[in-house]
Amino acid sequence: MFAEKLGLHILILLLGLAAGSCLREYIKNILKEGRTEKACMLVQRHKLPFFSGVEIINGLLWLRVAAIFDLSWELFFYCCAVSALLALSIIDWYTYEIPARCNFFLALTGLGIMWAEAMEMGAWSQVIWGHLIGSGVISLFLLGLLMASRGRAIGGGDVKLMAAAGLLLGWEKIILAFLISCIAGSIVHPLLMKWKGRGRVLAFGPYLAFGIWIALIHGREIIIWYFRYLFS
C-alpha cells in the first residue's frame, strides 16, 4: 500500500514537472506579446523572466493536491486548475491582465469538478446549484464594483476569474477564497509599495489565486473550524 501510494506521488510529481515545462513556455509567449509598458520594457532590456522554477513549483503544487485527493477525476481537474492559477498569477503580476484563456480553462475544470462530485454523490441538483451559485456570488459583486468604478477598482479579468473559480469551489469556499485574497492583498501590497517601490495599482490576480488555492486545499477545515468557534 505504501509503495503504491509512493509510486503514485512520484508519478504525479513527474507529470507536474512536465506540465510545468509547457506552462513556462506559455507564460513566456504571453509576456513576449508585450501588451503593457512593463512587459515591453522587460523584452527591450532582455530581462524577460524565464521562470526556471515554474516546473518545480507546478510539480510541488500537483504533489500537494495528490496528498489530499485520491486517484480520481477530482485529482485530475484540481491539478489542471492549480496550473491555471499559477500561470495567471505570473502573467497578471507582470502585465496587469489575466488572459481569457486561463479563465476559460479554469471554468472548464470547474465544470469537470461539478460533474465528478455529482457522479460521486448522486445529488445532481444540489451539486449543480451549489457550484452555479458559487460562480455568481462573488463575481456579481465584483461586476457591480467594476461598473460603479468604471474599471478603476477592479478589472474585468478578476471578475471572470472569480466566476470561473466559483464553478470550481462552490459558494462556501469561493467566499472564503475572496476573504483570504483581500486580507493577503491588504497586507502584502503596502509592504511591496514601501520596500520594492511597486506602484499603487494592484495586480489582484495573484492574491485571488492564493485565496482560491487555500480554499481548495484547506477550505473545508477552515469553514468547519470557523462555525465550531462561532457556535461554541
Side-chain angles (χ1 to χ4, degrees):
M1 187 67 180
F2 173 77
E4 291 180 0
K5 195 167 185 178
L6 178 61
L8 174 61
H9 285 184
I10 292 175
L11 176 61
I12 294 294
L13 177 61
L14 293 176
L15 290 174
L17 293 173
S21 180
C22 298
L23 204 64
R24 178 167 58 89
E25 293 304 313
Y26 170 73
I27 294 169
K28 283 169 58 179
N29 290 334
I30 292 293
L31 290 182
K32 283 179 180 178
E33 293 177 6
R35 297 185 216 177
T36 64
E37 181 180 350
K38 184 170 183 179
C40 289
M41 190 180 301
L42 287 169
V43 175
Q44 291 171 0
R45 294 181 180 179
H46 303 288
K47 292 184 178 180
L48 182 65
F50 287 97
F51 305 113
S52 58
V54 167
E55 294 94 335
I56 298 175
I57 295 172
N58 193 70
L60 292 176
L61 290 176
W62 281 33
L63 192 61
R64 184 68 184 95
V65 174
I68 297 177
F69 300 96
D70 295 327
L71 186 61
S72 62
W73 282 111
E74 288 182 321
L75 174 61
F76 170 75
F77 289 122
Y78 280 135
C79 284
C80 292
V82 298
S83 292
L85 292 173
L86 176 60
L88 68 87
S89 296
I90 297 173
I91 293 169
D92 191 37
W93 183 261
Y94 285 98
T95 68
Y96 297 98
E97 292 180 5
I98 298 177
R101 283 170 288 184
C102 288
N103 286 332
F104 179 72
F105 184 77
L106 193 65
L108 289 180
T109 65
L111 291 174
I113 286 295
M114 190 164 56
W115 167 79
E117 288 184 357
M119 288 289 290
E120 181 180 351
M121 297 174 60
W124 284 85
S125 178
Q126 179 182 351
V127 171
I128 290 173
W129 276 111
H131 285 265
L132 289 179
I133 292 172
S135 180
V137 66
I138 297 297
S139 61
L140 289 177
F141 165 73
L142 294 181
L143 179 61
L145 185 60
L146 172 70
M147 297 173 66
S149 66
R150 297 181 181 180
R152 291 190 296 269
I154 198 77
D158 300 321
V159 177
K160 296 171 186 175
L161 170 58
M162 294 308 281
L167 277 179
L168 180 74
L169 298 177
W171 70 271
E172 293 174 313
K173 290 182 182 178
I174 196 63
I175 294 174
L176 174 64
F178 183 64
L179 293 175
I180 294 173
S181 304
C182 293
I183 294 171
S186 65
I187 294 174
V188 176
H189 192 69
L191 296 177
L192 292 175
M193 289 174 59
K194 181 177 181 180
W195 293 337
K196 297 292 184 179
R198 194 159 176 93
R200 295 181 63 86
V201 178
L202 173 67
F204 201 24
Y207 302 106
L208 290 174
F210 174 74
I212 294 166
W213 162 254
I214 295 297
L216 190 156
I217 297 298
H218 300 294
R220 184 172 300 175
E221 293 89 339
I222 294 174
I223 292 171
I224 291 174
W225 169 84
Y226 173 76
F227 281 104
R228 282 180 178 173
Y229 176 79
L230 187 64
F231 296 107
S232 61

